[in-house]
Amino acid sequence: MNRAGQRVSVSARLLSSMMRGSLLFAHAALLIALGVGWLTSGAAGLANAASGGAMVVLFFAAGQGVQVLAGELDPRAGLGLTLLSYLVRAALLAAALLAVQNSQQVADAFRPVPFCWGVGLVLAGWLSGMFWAHARLRIPVYDTDDVGPDEGSDRV
């Protein structure tokens, strides 16, 4: 049961658990990326590593949140929501990167090495947290569609 008194589905609980693990590991990796950014390029490297890591966390957290919602919908509606979410997130990411590319002030402050460290470490942290959380889940298996042959049936 959630705070509103509604029953929470098994898939929503599983996806939420994986999201918490991903966020935990991603933020730990972000701290490492911030340190690398600071050591390689000072304050500018710190800002670049932070922006790269933040982009990864926002992109994947939004996607995982949509997956929790899509798991509660009809499969076709859930698939449509998931695909639409991905298209919107990819378009927003592209728009942000284009805006950065077209701004001379931001281009002067951009440091590709700390930015890539931020993206790479946080992405590795996100995936590691997801795998870590998934490996520790207890997944109940319910197969209500296949009830098996009736008692006394001739079918084998």
Side-chain angles (χ1 to χ4, degrees):
M1 297 267 182
N2 64 10
R3 291 182 184 149
Q6 298 169 335
R7 184 167 172 82
V8 179
S9 72
V10 173
S11 64
R13 286 196 321 258
L14 298 176
L15 288 169
S16 296
S17 174
M18 287 174 48
M19 187 169 181
R20 284 190 304 273
S22 294
L23 284 169
L24 177 71
F25 277 60
H27 281 85
L30 180 59
L31 292 175
I32 296 168
L34 292 175
V36 169
W38 179 262
L39 290 174
T40 59
S41 301
L46 181 73
N48 279 272
S51 62
M55 289 175 81
V56 171
V57 169
L58 291 173
F59 186 86
F60 284 104
Q64 193 74 36
V66 168
Q67 285 295 324
V68 172
L69 294 174
E72 301 297 313
L73 300 175
D74 174 68
R76 289 182 189 191
L79 177 62
L81 178 64
T82 301
L83 292 174
L84 179 64
S85 164
Y86 180 76
L87 290 173
V88 168
R89 290 180 291 129
L92 288 173
L93 183 60
L97 293 175
L98 282 173
V100 166
Q101 181 182 0
N102 293 329
S103 169
Q104 188 60 39
Q105 184 180 9
V106 175
D108 292 340
F110 182 70
R111 304 291 184 270
V113 172
F115 181 83
C116 289
W117 273 104
V119 169
L121 285 174
V122 174
L123 178 59
W126 182 275
L127 294 174
S128 298
M130 186 174 62
F131 295 145
W132 177 81
H134 189 269
R136 284 156 181 73
L137 289 177
R138 295 185 50 98
I139 302 173
V141 177
Y142 299 104
D143 191 6
T144 57
D145 293 337
D146 183 19
V147 294
D150 294 334
E151 291 291 325
S153 172
D154 293 346
R155 294 183 320 176
V156 177

